[in-house]
Amino acid sequence: MKTSNKPSYHHGDLKNALIEAALAHIARDGARALSLREVARTAGVSHTASYRHFRSKESLLAAIAEQGFRRLGDMMRVAMQQHSNDPLAMLRASGVAYVEFGVRYPDHLQIMFSGLIGRHDDYPELKNAAQEAYELLASSVRSAMQAGLVSGPSELIVSLASWAQVHGLALLIAGGQVARHLTESFSAADLAFQVTGLLQQGIAMVPTRGARKSTLPANRKRRTRSDRSRASR
């Protein structure tokens, strides 16, 4: 009786094997060069076998993105639970966890926000995972605002500011940009803790200002008034 040298997968294992193979390809060649056929070959199965789990490259990317959002949510949740009685510390911890996730799983982060997945509505599990992760960040902002510890135009604006800060920092660290400017060693968590602290200094206990009346700098506005005064003489 002939035996096959190809790896065999028990029920439920092939999907994860394909995801891991895809991540290896993405780390080496980037997401845009990903080929479902090559992924199947790396996993040691036929293209037909992979098709049972992923009918297209996009569906495979959606599975990777979903896995990423799940992991991100888990890391944020664990970090936040350690500060459940301190809304500001909880907000900061969620940001640090976000950065740590991005640095630990840079290929997931790339897929999650790459724009290569057309419509999240076509992948309900991905959509739910992404919403749950965002809601963790938003809930920490909400708690801090309700406690009167954070001020801002709205929960959405403060959430977006917090998200943009930690997402940008994660990309910079993962892409090696930050290391070029450091003169001493810092962990991703240390950097994230210090950077998120700067944002909190700006939004904590600061009264909300009204809408801006002008986008001109103060010196520009003074010159404008002076010009008007001279013109009226």
Side-chain angles (χ1 to χ4, degrees):
M1 180 182 297
K2 292 183 178 180
T3 58
S4 173
N5 292 325
K6 290 184 177 181
S8 61
Y9 297 97
H10 299 292
H11 178 70
D13 292 342
L14 179 55
K15 180 178 180 180
N16 288 327
L18 291 168
I19 289 175
E20 291 304 314
L23 286 166
H25 278 268
I26 292 168
R28 186 182 67 238
D29 303 320
R32 295 187 183 280
L34 186 67
S35 162
L36 198 55
R37 191 175 297 276
E38 286 299 317
V39 169
R41 184 177 294 113
T42 299
V45 298
S46 68
H47 181 61
T48 303
S50 67
Y51 194 73
R52 298 191 188 107
H53 291 280
F54 303 110
R55 301 180 69 85
S56 67
K57 170 182 170 178
E58 184 180 84
S59 65
L60 175 56
L61 293 176
I64 293 173
E66 180 196 342
Q67 185 183 75
F69 279 113
R70 300 272 182 218
R71 289 180 179 178
L72 171 61
D74 289 343
M75 290 180 67
M76 291 175 67
R77 193 175 293 106
V78 170
M80 292 166 64
Q81 287 173 348
Q82 300 176 33
H83 306 280
S84 57
N85 295 323
D86 186 340
L88 276 181
M90 186 168 63
L91 174 58
R92 198 171 193 176
S94 70
V96 172
Y98 191 109
V99 174
E100 287 188 298
F101 164 82
V103 173
R104 188 179 303 176
Y105 302 107
D107 299 316
H108 282 84
L109 190 69
Q110 175 189 351
I111 301 305
M112 290 157 64
F113 300 99
S114 66
L116 293 174
I117 303 167
R119 283 168 36 90
H120 281 200
D121 286 344
D122 294 335
Y123 304 97
E125 293 182 354
L126 166 58
K127 182 179 179 180
N128 290 338
Q131 183 60 38
E132 288 173 7
Y134 172 78
E135 179 55 30
L136 285 169
L137 173 63
S139 68
S140 64
V141 169
R142 188 179 308 123
S143 296
M145 295 187 79
Q146 290 176 346
L149 300 173
V150 164
S151 177
S154 67
E155 177 188 314
L156 174 62
I157 295 301
V158 177
S159 296
L160 288 176
S162 302
W163 184 10
Q165 182 192 48
V166 294
H167 185 76
L169 181 59
L171 289 176
L172 289 172
I173 297 175
Q177 299 300 315
V178 173
R180 299 177 185 178
H181 303 282
L182 293 179
T183 57
E184 53 184 304
S185 178
F186 285 95
S187 69
D190 289 338
L191 286 171
F193 186 81
Q194 294 187 44
V195 171
T196 53
L198 290 177
L199 176 65
Q200 287 195 1
Q201 289 176 22
I203 62 177
M205 304 299 291
V206 177
T208 304
R209 295 188 176 95
R212 292 185 302 174
K213 296 181 179 179
S214 172
T215 58
L216 294 174
N219 61 345
R220 174 86 177 272
K221 287 189 287 187
R222 284 195 294 271
R223 287 198 299 270
T224 303
R225 295 192 192 100
S226 177
D227 291 342
R228 287 200 300 267
S229 177
R230 286 196 297 270
S232 63
R233 291 174 184 172

